Amino acid sequence: MGTVHRSGVNKKTNDTGRLIVTTLLGIGFGFFVGISFQSISFNKIHLSSSLGSSFDVAVTNDHGSHRNESPLMTNGNGLRNSESSKSNGSIPKIYVTTNPRGAELLPPGIIASESDLYLRRLWGEPNEDLKKKPKYLLTITVGYNQRLNIDAMVKKFSEDFQILLFHYDGRTSDWEEFEWSKNAIHISARRQTKWWYAKRFLHPDVVAAYEYILIWDEDLGLEHFNGEKYMQLVKKHGLEISQPGLEPNNGLTWQMTKRRGDREVHKFTEEKPGWCSDPHLPPCAAFVEIMAPVFSRDAWRCVWHMIQNDLVHGWGLDFALRRCVEPAHEKIGVVDSQWIIHQVIPSLGSQGQSEHGKPPWEGVRARCKHEWSLFQNRLTNADQAYVAQIRKG
C-alpha cells in the first residue's frame, strides 16, 4: 500500500510539472506570435503610408547611388526642378503641364480623367464586374405620376442603353415595382428641369463611355419607335445631333421636326415666309427641338459647355445647337422612320408656384420665355466680344 501511495505522489508531481512547463511554453509561444503579428502589421502600415513616395523609390532605383546629382529640369516628361532641390540634392518633383488642370502633380499613368455610370459590385475582381457595357445613355426626367408611360418607353430600348432617371418629385423608391428600375440609376432633386440635371450630372468626362446621350422628356409616346433601329439610322446618315420625327397631329411646333412618311431621315424643310434667312439655318435646317434630342459623344461635349448654369429650361438652346457640329446642316437631322408622339402633358408646369393669383404653370412659362431672351443676349454678346478680340489682336 505504501508503494502505491508513493507512486501516486510522484505521478501528481510529474503532472503538475508538465502543466507548468506547458503553460510556460504556451505563454512564450503566444508572446512570440504577438510580437511577429505586431511587426507584420507595422510593416503593412509602413508600406501603405509610403505609397506616396513610390516616385522617390523609382528614381532612386533608376539612378542608383547618384542621389546628389543635379535634378532634372522641366522637360517634355513633365519633371520640374526647384532651387531647394538643387541645394539639398533631393530628387525631382512631378509637374506635368499636359495633365488635366489640378492634376499636374500626378504621374500621367495614374490619371483617370473620364468616368461612366456603370454600376459596380462591392466584391470580386473589378474587371469582372460588367457582363455587358451599355453603349448608349438614355436619361428621362420623370415624376411618379407618369410611371406607366415611362415603363412603356423604357421597354423600347435594349440592354445597350443605360437608363438614368432624374426625379423632379423626390419619389425614387416607389419605382421598384418595375424590374428594370432596379438596374437603372436614380437621381433626385425636387422641382428641377432636365437641363439642370444635365449640367450637373452629365459632364462630358462622366459620360465619356457612351457613344450617344439621349436627354428626353417624360411625355413621349414610343409605340412606333425602336431604340436599336434608331441608332442604326443615326450612324448610317452621320447624324451628330438628332431626334425622332414627331407625329404631325400631336404637339407639333416646327415644320422641321414633323415626320415625313416617305424617307428614313430628313435634314431640311420649308417654314413660313420670312422665318428662315438662310435655308441652311434654323428652323429650316440644322435644327431639332429640346424635347427628345440625341447627341453624339463629341457633340455633347460642346453642348454641355454651352448650357448656362442658371438657365434651366433650355429655351433657345435648340437654335444654337448648330454651333457644336460642322457642317451643321449635314450632321443635324430628324429620323422619320422611327417616330414618336408628343403627348403634351404639362407636368413640369404643376411644379411651379402660384404668385399674384396666377396658376403655377403661368410662372413657369414666363420664366421659359425670359430665359430664351437671356440666352440669346448672352450668345450675341459672346460673339461680339470674340470678334472684337480677334480684330484687336
Side-chain angles (χ1 to χ4, degrees):
M1 291 294 293
T3 303
V4 172
H5 176 71
R6 209 165 36 245
S7 74
V9 171
N10 290 338
K11 183 177 181 180
K12 183 179 296 185
T13 302
N14 292 337
D15 290 344
T16 302
R18 288 195 198 95
L19 180 61
I20 293 173
V21 171
T22 301
T23 301
L24 291 174
L25 289 174
I27 293 173
F29 179 74
F31 178 77
F32 175 76
V33 171
I35 291 296
S36 300
F37 180 77
Q38 186 175 18
S39 175
I40 292 172
S41 299
F42 175 78
N43 287 337
K44 286 183 178 180
I45 294 172
H46 177 71
L47 286 173
S48 299
S49 65
S50 67
L51 286 177
S53 62
S54 58
F55 180 64
D56 300 0
V57 175
V59 173
T60 301
N61 291 339
D62 184 52
H63 292 282
S65 60
H66 302 290
R67 289 180 56 89
N68 292 326
E69 292 184 357
S70 298
L72 300 176
M73 299 294 288
T74 303
N75 54 31
N77 295 324
L79 297 176
R80 75 173 178 180
N81 184 14
S82 65
E83 293 301 321
S84 59
S85 64
K86 287 181 179 179
S87 61
N88 59 24
S90 65
I91 61 171
K93 301 295 184 182
I94 295 177
Y95 192 84
V96 187
T97 58
T98 55
N99 280 357
R101 187 178 65 177
E104 294 88 352
L105 299 179
L106 298 176
I110 197 61
I111 290 175
S113 60
E114 297 178 344
S115 185
D116 55 62
L117 296 174
Y118 300 147
L119 298 177
R120 298 277 180 178
R121 303 177 303 175
L122 303 182
W123 65 94
E125 290 293 328
N127 59 6
E128 298 175 356
D129 285 347
L130 305 172
K131 295 181 180 179
K132 183 180 180 65
K133 292 183 178 181
K135 296 187 294 185
Y136 318 116
L137 178 64
L138 170 64
T139 76
I140 314 174
T141 303
V142 303
Y144 186 66
N145 289 341
Q146 302 301 322
R147 63 190 180 280
L148 297 181
N149 190 57
I150 300 302
D151 179 48
M153 289 177 62
V154 168
K155 290 176 179 177
K156 292 292 184 173
F157 296 90
S158 69
E159 292 181 347
D160 282 330
F161 292 81
Q162 171 72 59
I163 307 300
L164 169 57
L165 299 186
F166 295 128
H167 299 269
Y168 61 75
D169 61 355
R171 300 179 66 175
T172 56
S173 59
D174 295 335
W175 288 79
E176 292 186 3
E177 64 183 272
F178 303 111
E179 190 64 27
W180 56 262
S181 175
K182 298 175 183 177
N183 295 318
I185 298 170
H186 301 264
I187 296 177
S188 177
R190 291 180 180 273
R191 297 188 175 187
Q192 301 303 318
T193 72
K194 69 178 182 180
W195 300 111
W196 183 92
Y197 290 110
K199 188 65 174 177
R200 286 148 184 82
F201 300 104
L202 300 182
H203 188 281
D205 288 345
V206 173
V207 299
Y210 306 99
E211 296 177 21
Y212 292 86
I213 297 94
L214 295 72
I215 305 179
W216 285 20
D217 290 348
E218 63 180 340
D219 60 340
L220 304 176
L222 273 60
E223 292 85 353
H224 310 280
F225 180 87
N226 178 280
E228 285 289 347
K229 292 181 179 179
Y230 182 91
M231 300 314 306
Q232 291 172 6
L233 291 170
V234 164
K235 295 176 182 179
K236 175 182 176 181
H237 292 274
L239 299 179
E240 296 289 320
I241 300 176
S242 65
Q243 74 160 78
L246 290 177
E247 164 60 43
N249 298 322
N250 294 80
L252 186 67
T253 302
W254 306 100
Q255 289 297 312
M256 178 63 185
T257 55
K258 181 172 69 173
R259 179 178 72 94
R260 286 15 173 200
D262 60 347
R263 65 196 70 184
E264 289 181 338
V265 166
H266 74 270
K267 303 177 182 179
F268 299 90
T269 193
E270 292 184 2
E271 265 290 355
K272 298 176 182 178
W275 279 32
C276 297
S277 59
D278 187 319
H280 289 168
L281 295 179
C284 287
F287 177 77
V288 297
E289 295 188 65
I290 59 174
M291 72 174 71
V294 179
F295 303 97
S296 71
R297 178 169 41 213
D298 291 338
W300 176 246
R301 182 168 291 277
C302 172
V303 172
W304 184 90
H305 285 281
M306 188 166 58
I307 297 172
Q308 304 294 286
N309 197 57
D310 59 330
L311 306 184
V312 297
H313 287 289
W315 279 37
L317 186 63
D318 38 15
F319 281 82
L321 294 177
R322 63 185 180 86
R323 303 289 191 106
C324 287
V325 293
E326 183 65 34
H329 63 276
E330 294 181 5
K331 295 187 177 182
I332 299 179
V334 176
V335 179
D336 299 292
S337 59
Q338 295 296 316
W339 50 283
I340 62 177
I341 298 173
H342 187 201
Q343 299 169 341
V344 197
I345 300 174
S347 52
L348 193 61
S350 65
Q351 298 295 307
Q353 183 172 328
S354 178
E355 293 182 344
H356 309 297
K358 297 181 179 180
W361 68 266
E362 287 194 14
V364 173
R365 178 55 62 93
R367 170 75 180 252
C368 289
K369 293 180 179 179
H370 182 53
E371 286 195 3
W372 191 349
S373 176
L374 288 174
F375 182 76
Q376 286 180 309
N377 291 337
R378 291 181 187 181
L379 192 55
T380 299
N381 293 338
D383 283 338
Q384 293 175 348
Y386 176 76
V387 171
Q389 181 181 6
I390 293 297
R391 290 175 176 172
K392 184 186 298 183

